[in-house]
Amino acid sequence: KVELHGKVLEVEHSVPKRQRSCKLQIRNIPPHMQWEVLDGMLAQYGAVESCEQVNTDTETAVVNVRYAAKDQARLAMEKLNGSMMENYALKVSYIPDETAAPEGPSAGGRRGFNARGPPRSGSPGLGARPKVQSDIPLRMLVPTQFVGAIIGKEGATIRNITKQTHSKIDIHRKENAGAAEKPITIHSTPEGCSNACTTIMEIMQKEAVDTKFTEEIPLKILAHNNFVGRLIGKEGRNLKKIEQDTGTKITISPLQDLTLYNPERTITVKGSIEACSRAEEEVMKKIRESYESDMAAMNLQSNLIPGLNLNALGLFPSGTPGMGPSMSSVPPPGAHGGCSSFGCSPFGGEGPFWASMLSASSQPLAGHPESETVHLFIPALAVGAIIGKQGQHIKQLSHFAGASIKIAPAEGMDAKQRMVIIVGPPEAQFKAQCRIFGKLKEENFFGPKEEVKLEAHIKVPSFAAGRVIGKGGKTVNELQNLTCAEVVVPRDQTPDENDQVIVKISGHFFACQV
């Protein structure tokens, strides 16, 4: 509350009271602040269960913090929001509990009237359900010879597991014919996933004894590569701690095993069933925290790109609110459960939804988005990585994005850059460019601490060039300040046959998209 000219102004939090959880996001943290200092500051207000850094393109740091209790999170919110640290004003906000019932008249009937009778099961009057299915299912690999035992006679065993653990279990036994291992996807609460995993391990152990199978049966968890780095932690600290706490030995498949259609790494856990179960809980906890951090970061970024439909980009699980049902499709050979690094949910939804995204990109949508042409300039040495062996990578990328992607001939023998010509609607442009930026980073064409910054050329009608620049360059300066990109409209251009001129944009991925 603030008093202004004799009037009291009261500002409500953007997150309703019922949706305020134990989790906070703290932004604008000084970039050189030591973790020990941050941990000590956060501990003043309660027990910190987790503190995860969010990857953003800002100079300052962003972290997601989970406290043990809501009152601790509230106290931290009150004390830290707006407080100064090394000349930086901290910005703190709640990460909403999406499972809590939102406040409003609907919870109690029309204003002035009581709800008729007791609330029905699942109605808003009951508030949040005590347990909520995780957005991230548990994905595991099991030896093919044990699949029959897990399913049981006429499916009795798998039905029993499903009932006892309140989970939905998909065994992808028809995929990867002849493979030594089959993927299993478990949808449930974190506790339900862990219980189902333990039961499956016990069934495999019993079947191994009955069939005199003497080899060790480790637990194998599949995780999207985007989360593995944070699971390992700096200098391997996170992984070592899980090993020490659970008494297990954990190894992770190499990056070289990744393909366009299989972005998952295999996390192999060796130990007793009880030890493996504890390790699974800790591994999946880290992966879910990473997912939540990425979602928060993407939501922040999406506010900068008006009209961008993030649901249509294949970046989130099909269970995310607002997502339509996924479409079934036969996965390419070699994919774990048909999971594609772009077009299907990397989190093991009902099925890959890249087919729906491709059809959406290739068929006219409501409003018929116009096709755009963007010239993206990449290092000449990176051309091979973008094209791939026998052109496979660029074909798959073009197919996924729903865009035409071609690489123009080199302008000379010593050319240091090559032009990639991308033709497609805005969402196709976003997907294609996102993957190209990512590929250059993956292939180490930029240093580990270096941002991928490229130059893109777009064409605008010649009569609009003046508007882009603005009076005295005001508009283009504001555009550069807002997006952190460098925007240049070369003067004295001769318009082409379509009366268009070139605008040059240089910067990191999100800056260029804005």
Side-chain angles (χ1 to χ4, degrees), residues 33-83:
M33 188 174 184
Q34 297 294 318
W35 276 104
E36 292 78 7
V37 177
L38 179 63
D39 290 340
M41 179 186 72
L42 297 175
Q44 295 176 30
Y45 309 107
V48 177
E49 292 189 343
S50 65
C51 181
E52 187 82 25
Q53 186 166 0
V54 178
N55 293 324
T56 66
D57 292 317
T58 58
E59 177 191 351
T60 54
V62 179
V63 297
N64 288 348
V65 182
R66 184 202 297 267
Y67 278 95
K70 288 186 178 181
D71 59 335
Q72 296 172 357
R74 185 181 69 250
L75 179 62
M77 172 87 178
E78 292 170 355
K79 297 293 186 182
L80 294 176
N81 192 30
S83 63

Side-chain angles (χ1 to χ4, degrees), residues 141-188:
L141 277 178
V142 300
T144 302
Q145 65 261 44
F146 296 136
V147 168
I150 294 167
I151 295 173
K153 189 176 181 180
E154 297 178 350
T157 305
I158 196 71
R159 279 198 302 271
N160 191 39
I161 300 172
T162 299
K163 186 177 179 181
Q164 288 181 351
T165 61
H166 306 288
S167 58
K168 179 180 181 298
I169 302 175
D170 296 321
I171 300 178
H172 310 282
R173 54 178 172 163
K174 293 184 181 179
E175 294 163 9
N176 303 341
E181 295 173 312
K182 298 291 183 182
I184 294 179
T185 304
I186 304 171
H187 303 266
S188 185

Side-chain angles (χ1 to χ4, degrees), residues 133-138 186 188 193 227 284 287-288 291 317 347:
Q133 178 170 313
S134 170
D135 282 336
I136 301 288
L138 170 62
I186 304 171
S188 185
C193 289
F227 306 141
M284 290 306 297
I287 289 171
R288 290 181 184 111
Y291 166 75
F347 313 101

Side-chain angles (χ1 to χ4, degrees), residues 260 383-401 403-408 420-421 436 439:
L260 178 65
V383 169
I386 299 299
I387 294 175
K389 189 175 181 180
Q390 296 180 338
Q392 284 301 306
H393 186 267
I394 198 168
K395 287 177 187 175
Q396 291 164 344
L397 175 56
S398 178
H399 192 51
F400 153 70
S404 167
I405 305 173
K406 297 178 181 178
I407 296 181
V420 181
I421 305 168
I436 291 171
K439 185 69 173 174

Side-chain angles (χ1 to χ4, degrees), residues 24 60 70 85-86 160 229 241 335 376-377 444 469 482:
L24 302 174
T60 54
K70 288 186 178 181
M85 291 201 66
E86 300 178 17
N160 191 39
K241 187 176 189 305
L376 190 65
F377 291 84
N444 297 317
I469 298 170
L482 172 67

Side-chain angles (χ1 to χ4, degrees), residues 10-296:
E10 185 171 348
V11 181
E12 283 290 330
H13 291 292
S14 59
V15 178
K17 283 186 178 179
R18 289 189 185 181
Q19 290 186 298
R20 294 177 198 170
S21 64
C22 302
K23 293 186 286 186
L24 302 174
Q25 182 166 96
I26 305 176
R27 302 182 300 281
N28 212 34
I29 298 171
H32 305 298
M33 188 174 184
Q34 297 294 318
W35 276 104
E36 292 78 7
V37 177
L38 179 63
D39 290 340
M41 179 186 72
L42 297 175
Q44 295 176 30
Y45 309 107
V48 177
E49 292 189 343
S50 65
C51 181
E52 187 82 25
Q53 186 166 0
V54 178
N55 293 324
T56 66
D57 292 317
T58 58
E59 177 191 351
T60 54
V62 179
V63 297
N64 288 348
V65 182
R66 184 202 297 267
Y67 278 95
K70 288 186 178 181
D71 59 335
Q72 296 172 357
R74 185 181 69 250
L75 179 62
M77 172 87 178
E78 292 170 355
K79 297 293 186 182
L80 294 176
N81 192 30
S83 63
M84 298 297 294
M85 291 201 66
E86 300 178 17
N87 297 322
Y88 290 86
L90 300 181
K91 298 176 183 178
V92 186
S93 59
Y94 282 103
I95 297 176
D97 179 1
E98 300 294 351
T99 64
E103 293 178 310
S106 60
R110 291 174 295 166
R111 186 175 294 179
F113 294 88
N114 293 325
R116 296 179 185 174
R120 291 175 293 174
S121 176
S123 69
L126 288 177
R129 290 176 294 174
K131 291 185 178 181
V132 182
Q133 178 170 313
S134 170
D135 282 336
I136 301 288
L138 170 62
R139 302 248 305 149
M140 53 191 295
L141 277 178
V142 300
T144 302
Q145 65 261 44
F146 296 136
V147 168
I150 294 167
I151 295 173
K153 189 176 181 180
E154 297 178 350
T157 305
I158 196 71
R159 279 198 302 271
N160 191 39
I161 300 172
T162 299
K163 186 177 179 181
Q164 288 181 351
T165 61
H166 306 288
S167 58
K168 179 180 181 298
I169 302 175
D170 296 321
I171 300 178
H172 310 282
R173 54 178 172 163
K174 293 184 181 179
E175 294 163 9
N176 303 341
E181 295 173 312
K182 298 291 183 182
I184 294 179
T185 304
I186 304 171
H187 303 266
S188 185
T189 62
E191 296 82 4
C193 289
S194 296
N195 292 337
C197 175
T198 302
T199 304
I200 289 171
M201 285 193 291
E202 289 171 348
I203 290 170
M204 290 194 295
Q205 190 65 48
K206 183 178 183 302
E207 181 69 9
V209 172
D210 293 345
T211 58
K212 298 180 180 178
F213 183 83
T214 56
E215 294 179 24
E216 184 181 6
I217 309 170
L219 168 63
K220 292 189 176 183
I221 300 170
L222 295 173
H224 195 279
N225 183 52
N226 287 352
F227 306 141
V228 170
R230 283 166 284 181
L231 168 65
I232 296 171
K234 190 174 182 180
E235 298 175 353
R237 290 174 191 167
N238 292 347
L239 208 58
K240 288 175 186 174
K241 187 176 189 305
I242 295 174
E243 287 181 320
Q244 291 168 359
D245 292 347
T246 62
T248 56
K249 176 64 178 174
I250 303 175
T251 55
I252 298 177
S253 61
L255 278 167
Q256 288 83 348
D257 291 354
L258 297 178
T259 67
L260 178 65
Y261 288 106
N262 177 27
E264 291 176 304
R265 307 270 292 275
T266 302
I267 302 164
T268 303
V269 185
K270 292 185 178 181
S272 66
I273 290 178
E274 184 182 348
C276 288
S277 296
R278 291 200 306 271
E280 178 274 328
E281 290 176 10
E282 294 301 317
V283 166
M284 290 306 297
K285 181 181 176 183
K286 275 288 177 192
I287 289 171
R288 290 181 184 111
E289 287 173 356
S290 299
Y291 166 75
E292 289 173 4
S293 296
D294 287 355
M295 286 291 288

